[in-house]
Amino acid sequence: QKEVEQNSGPLSVPEGAIASLNCTYSDRVSQSFFWYRQYSGKSPELIMSIYSNGDKEDGRFTAQLNKASQYVSLLIRDSQPSDSATYLCAVNSNTGNQFYFGTGTSLTVIP
Amino acid sequence: EPEVTQTPSHQVTQMGQEVILRCVPISNHLYFYWYRQILGQKVEFLVSFYNNEISEKSEIFDDQFSVERPDGSNFTLKIRSTKLEDSAMYFCASSPLRSASTDTQYFGPGTRLTVL
């Protein structure tokens, strides 16, 4: 079973601060990495995808990938109360068509 | 904006009964998926489907489960002889491009299945 590990949290940050979410994965051949946001009782919503080592920025979100360390992270700058949710890390299988999710990190942004 | 839809939103069934969960993927999408999420646990991949056949399935997707695209719009998950441990939220997802590994998956709102 391929594993995707995340700190379950909860992680609390004040409004305007940077939230840092981390994820490690066990399958060295994974090529695609995803961050989803899931509000309570709702379905996952894709925030970022990253495929190459380094950083990828999209608005207030930055994903960082280090394949050698099998580590992917998500930074949320200028955190807003609306960012309060569970953040799911997902990676794909070596065949590309199966996806493994972590248990998620619960983030609370305090106004 | 097009959305993935799922029906019903909540399904209650007796243990041992068969259930069919229905999904309408976004119309021009090519890849379809089913996931489940047991309350308080992680999202688990069940199956991916492309070109009218299963592309990949997980260990969870045993003979109890089957998928079908009976027409040009619906994508169904059938669970035969449901068990208590099948109680979960079931999500359908679809993606538009052939390269599933690098593509955005759009999730439906889910069907909550309760097995009594």
Side-chain angles (χ1 to χ4, degrees):
Chain A
Q1 173 72 7
K2 308 297 191 294
E3 296 293 334
V4 178
E5 300 288 342
Q6 296 181 252
N7 290 329
S8 61
L11 174 66
S12 294
V13 300
E15 184 175 354
I18 295 175
S20 177
L21 306 165
N22 304 313
C23 173
T24 58
Y25 59 94
S26 64
D27 190 356
R28 277 197 175 275
V29 300
S30 293
Q31 294 296 318
S32 304
F33 308 88
F34 307 88
W35 282 100
Y36 287 84
R37 177 175 61 200
Q38 187 176 31
Y39 293 112
S40 181
K42 302 295 185 182
S43 58
E45 175 191 10
L46 184 69
I47 299 173
M48 296 277 290
S49 57
I50 186 166
Y51 313 115
S52 304
N53 280 328
D55 295 358
K56 179 181 178 183
E57 187 174 318
D58 184 0
R60 296 186 295 113
F61 300 95
T62 299
Q64 299 173 317
L65 175 62
N66 183 326
K67 290 185 180 179
S69 300
Q70 295 175 236
Y71 173 88
V72 59
S73 66
L74 180 71
L75 298 178
I76 307 174
R77 289 181 299 281
D78 188 24
S79 296
Q80 301 297 309
S82 59
D83 295 328
S84 298
T86 296
Y87 288 81
L88 311 177
C89 173
V91 306
N92 75 322
S93 65
N94 56 350
T95 60
N97 298 327
Q98 180 164 176
F99 296 84
Y100 303 100
F101 281 77
T103 53
T105 298
S106 175
L107 172 66
T108 300
V109 180
I110 303 167
Chain B
E1 185 175 326
E3 293 179 334
V4 176
T5 59
Q6 291 185 243
T7 54
S9 57
H10 191 189
Q11 173 86 51
V12 181
T13 190
Q14 295 291 323
M15 188 170 56
Q17 296 296 304
E18 175 182 286
V19 295
I20 297 177
L21 309 183
R22 291 183 167 80
C23 169
V24 178
I26 296 173
S27 63
N28 62 344
H29 284 194
L30 300 179
Y31 265 96
F32 314 115
Y33 309 86
W34 282 103
Y35 295 87
R36 78 173 185 190
Q37 187 175 30
I38 296 170
L39 187 64
Q41 298 188 24
K42 63 183 177 182
V43 174
E44 297 176 291
F45 171 85
L46 294 178
V47 65
S48 58
F49 191 88
Y50 172 75
N51 200 24
N52 285 318
E53 60 182 21
I54 290 175
S55 179
E56 196 156 347
K57 60 184 181 180
S58 72
E59 295 172 352
I60 302 169
F61 194 89
D62 59 20
D63 292 343
Q64 179 194 12
F65 294 91
S66 62
V67 290
E68 193 177 33
R69 189 158 162 81
D71 53 41
S73 59
N74 289 284
F75 180 51
T76 62
L77 174 69
K78 181 189 290 185
I79 309 175
R80 288 181 280 274
S81 189
T82 49
K83 299 177 256 191
L84 295 176
E85 53 265 37
D86 293 328
S87 295
M89 182 73 89
Y90 288 81
F91 293 110
C92 173
S94 68
S95 59
L97 300 177
R98 194 187 185 289
S99 177
S101 63
T102 59
D103 200 7
T104 298
Q105 294 184 40
Y106 296 84
F107 280 73
T111 293
R112 178 161 297 285
L113 176 65
T114 301
V115 182
L116 302 177

